[in-house]
Amino acid sequence: MSGAGTFLGMPAFPHNAAAAVQDSQLRFNLRKATHTIRGKRAAVVGELPDWAELRRAGKEIKDHTLRHLDRYLLQLEEAVTAAGGHVHWASDAKEANRIVADLVKATGETSVVKVKSMATQEIGLNEALQEEGITAYETDLAELIVQLGDDWPSHILVPAIHRNRAEIREIFQEKMAEWGRAAPEELTDEPRALAEAARLHLRERFLSTKVAVSGANFMIAETGTLVVLESEGNGRMCLTLPETLISVVGVEKLLPTWRDLEVFLQLLPRSSTGERMNPYTSTWTGATEGQEFHLVLLDNGRTDVLADEVGRQALRCIRCSACLNVCPVYERAGGHAYGSVYPGPIGAILTPQLRGTASAIDASLPYASSLCGACFEACPVAIDIPEVLVHLRGKVRHARAERLGMRAAGWIFDRPSRLARVQRLGGRLRRFVPGRLPGPLSAWTDTREIPDIPAESFRDWWNRTDGGAR
């Protein structure tokens, strides 16, 4: 994976998806997990009579914050600094990685523990730290499985969703000893046993590591407070035990006030894990209890996204993964096919905007959807993902041929005489029309049949028969 979060050398989404759908075990794992989470979400969302109002409030708060992002970011910086913290600004992945590496090296330490963070995955922080001689240890259970298995995350909420219990047991037995405390020799694939093996492995790391790296679900501008929601408690260990805490957070994670947080503490747990509230909510403001705190505010393409009037709604995302769990494409293709740490429908609109569409994988992502709209209905902040997908399709490089085709069609349909001449020409040449289009157009006819061109157009038939009277 590169520093920009790109899985290097990956072909386009259709190629990746075609391989993934042949993996029956992967499809079984995905279907079981997504349907379970989807069912839990539906149950707890259905309990709230004001869910639509909460959803609207979340959208409006995010839109307001993005419109005034410059003012709220400066307010946040002032509040964090006043509370004893240090704020750093990173324009891209390279700058953010350099800042974090320098901060860690300044402590004299050669290892860090990490709270689950998609922003640090996006910038390839673990790999960048490794190049500087610093080892990053993941502490979220699913992220630990991915790291030990030398794997890639495939889901926003459950990065190891593509693994089953037997595979996890095998990974623990084979790889845990290389990273610290070994797994028990008699380890079974029972969830309780796997969790206990991870707990013992991680506890030694928590007690011996003096630097932690985190992200944040939200930042509160008025107080400088950061908020992390989690289910395991490992995040809280990282946030409280180390002597130095470094948080890398995308600039879009901002909320103006504590009162705004109340809305999202209802939206996020229900939409992500299907819970009324998450087991652990950790908040901290600046440097607490003698801990040194650094906040790295990450842009990495976000201001470019903000400049796009249609695409900017992707920055409302609160990383709940509800769109993945209802997406028929994700359920069959899995997360790895998207070639990014942001898989599924939200990844299909966020990744091309953050990275551009120069590569084959990024140019193909706006097409990784059936446009069924299930993602929009599930999104707790009302991101119209289908709208953004169509918008992005008009921007990718091979859309030029589509624009030329539509321009030619417009010219033909502009005059009845032109249309009539083209229809007659088509009727005369119809026996030469292939059943399958050539070259890059062949994908269209692989799953569709070209309609037969009639020997006579409706217009000519009407004129010849006087509207069917003769």
Side-chain angles (χ1 to χ4, degrees):
M1 193 168 73
S2 77
T6 306
F7 297 126
L8 293 176
M10 289 202 74
F13 179 85
H15 180 277
N16 298 337
V21 297
Q22 302 302 317
D23 188 336
S24 59
Q25 184 63 58
L26 172 66
R27 294 184 64 178
F28 174 82
N29 294 349
L30 289 170
R31 178 177 176 80
K32 181 178 180 181
T34 57
H35 281 238
T36 298
I37 299 172
R38 186 193 309 178
K40 291 175 62 179
R41 175 195 175 276
V44 294
V45 166
E47 295 174 349
L48 296 182
D50 63 342
W51 178 258
E53 288 75 14
L54 276 171
R55 188 175 185 242
R56 188 180 308 113
K59 172 185 181 296
E60 291 174 357
I61 291 169
K62 279 289 190 176
D63 283 345
H64 167 80
T65 309
L66 291 170
R67 283 196 300 271
H68 305 283
L69 191 60
D70 54 344
R71 172 161 60 89
Y72 286 125
L73 283 171
L74 292 176
Q75 183 182 6
L76 174 76
E77 181 183 34
E78 291 177 3
V80 170
T81 303
H86 307 275
V87 178
H88 311 262
W89 300 79
S91 60
D92 55 24
K94 184 177 180 180
E95 186 173 12
N97 289 333
R98 178 187 57 78
I99 291 170
V100 175
D102 288 347
L103 289 172
V104 176
K105 287 191 284 188
T107 68
E109 297 296 315
T110 58
S111 64
V112 301
V113 286
K114 286 186 64 196
V115 184
K116 183 179 184 301
S117 164
M118 300 207 71
T120 59
Q121 291 176 351
E122 173 191 328
I123 63 177
L125 179 63
N126 288 12
E127 294 80 4
L129 291 178
Q130 190 64 47
E131 291 177 1
E132 298 291 333
I134 301 166
T135 303
Y137 295 94
E138 298 288 353
T139 64
D140 175 84
L141 177 56
E143 294 288 1
L144 174 66
I145 294 166
V146 170
Q147 185 175 52
L148 293 179
D150 194 23
D151 201 352
W152 299 337
S154 62
H155 191 277
I156 289 175
L157 176 67
V158 194
I161 196 173
H162 56 287
R163 298 289 194 182
N164 59 32
R165 291 172 5 195
E167 292 173 317
I168 295 169
R169 171 183 173 275
E170 185 177 342
I171 290 171
F172 278 10
Q173 287 191 317
E174 291 182 359
K175 297 296 184 69
M176 249 185 189
E178 299 176 14
W179 290 80
R181 178 170 178 153
E185 292 183 5
E186 67 282 2
L187 181 65
T188 70
D189 64 359
E190 288 300 312
R192 184 183 296 274
L194 294 173
E196 178 66 7
R199 187 187 72 81
L200 294 174
H201 175 83
L202 291 171
R203 183 58 57 92
E204 290 186 356
R205 191 62 57 192
F206 288 137
L207 295 175
S208 62
T209 307
K210 298 182 179 180
V211 181
V213 176
S214 82
N217 294 101
F218 306 104
M219 302 182 291
I220 311 300
E222 71 174 348
T223 59
T225 303
L226 274 68
V227 185
V228 164
L229 281 66
E230 54 155 339
S231 299
E232 300 170 9
N234 295 335
R236 182 166 295 178
M237 300 282 279
C238 289
L239 297 171
T240 55
L241 290 178
E243 298 172 2
T244 301
L245 174 61
I246 305 167
S247 298
V248 182
V249 189
V251 293
E252 82 281 12
K253 295 297 186 72
L254 202 55
L255 298 177
T257 68
W258 266 101
R259 185 175 183 179
D260 298 321
L261 180 64
E262 179 264 343
V263 172
F264 294 93
L265 290 182
Q266 295 184 74
L267 289 173
L268 182 54
R270 285 176 166 83
S271 296
S272 58
T273 56
E275 297 172 295
R276 296 179 183 89
M277 65 180 292
N278 52 287
Y280 295 89
T281 299
S282 299
T283 67
W284 69 99
T285 305
T288 59
E289 298 180 355
Q291 186 183 65
E292 185 174 345
F293 173 61
H294 296 269
L295 171 60
V296 182
L297 292 171
L298 177 68
D299 184 335
N300 203 37
R302 285 160 174 77
T303 51
D304 293 333
V305 180
L306 190 59
D308 188 318
E309 292 186 2
V310 177
R312 69 174 58 150
Q313 59 186 296
L315 295 179
R316 289 189 215 137
C317 179
I318 57 175
R319 308 294 191 266
C320 69
S321 75
C323 62
L324 281 72
N325 298 326
V326 299
C327 177
V329 176
Y330 174 84
E331 182 183 314
R332 289 157 178 80
H336 292 161
Y338 293 82
S340 167
V341 298
Y342 301 114
I346 188 61
I349 65 170
L350 185 58
T351 301
Q353 294 192 87
L354 292 177
R355 299 195 314 212
T357 56
S359 70
I361 184 68
D362 293 336
S364 70
L365 288 179
Y367 295 87
S369 170
S370 65
L371 300 180
C372 68
C375 49
F376 176 43
E377 295 299 323
C379 178
V381 287
I383 301 171
D384 193 341
I385 293 177
E387 179 188 29
V388 182
L389 286 167
V390 173
H391 173 66
L392 293 176
R393 289 179 185 187
K395 287 185 161 188
V396 298
R397 290 177 302 179
H398 53 271
R400 183 171 179 271
E402 294 178 14
R403 289 195 295 270
L404 291 175
M406 294 304 293
R407 193 176 302 164
W411 182 82
I412 293 170
F413 286 116
D414 186 55
R415 300 258 182 102
S417 58
R418 290 175 186 163
L419 177 59
R421 286 196 296 271
V422 171
Q423 286 175 329
R424 293 190 190 103
L425 180 62
R428 291 171 186 152
L429 300 177
R430 63 195 183 101
R431 68 178 181 274
F432 299 110
V433 175
R436 184 175 185 272
L437 294 176
L441 300 177
S442 63
W444 180 261
T445 50
D446 284 344
T447 54
R448 301 171 180 86
E449 292 183 357
I450 298 178
D452 292 332
I453 299 175
E456 184 180 33
S457 71
F458 175 81
R459 183 189 301 271
D460 288 343
W461 172 85
W462 184 273
N463 291 333
R464 178 175 58 80
T465 63
D466 193 18
R470 301 199 299 270

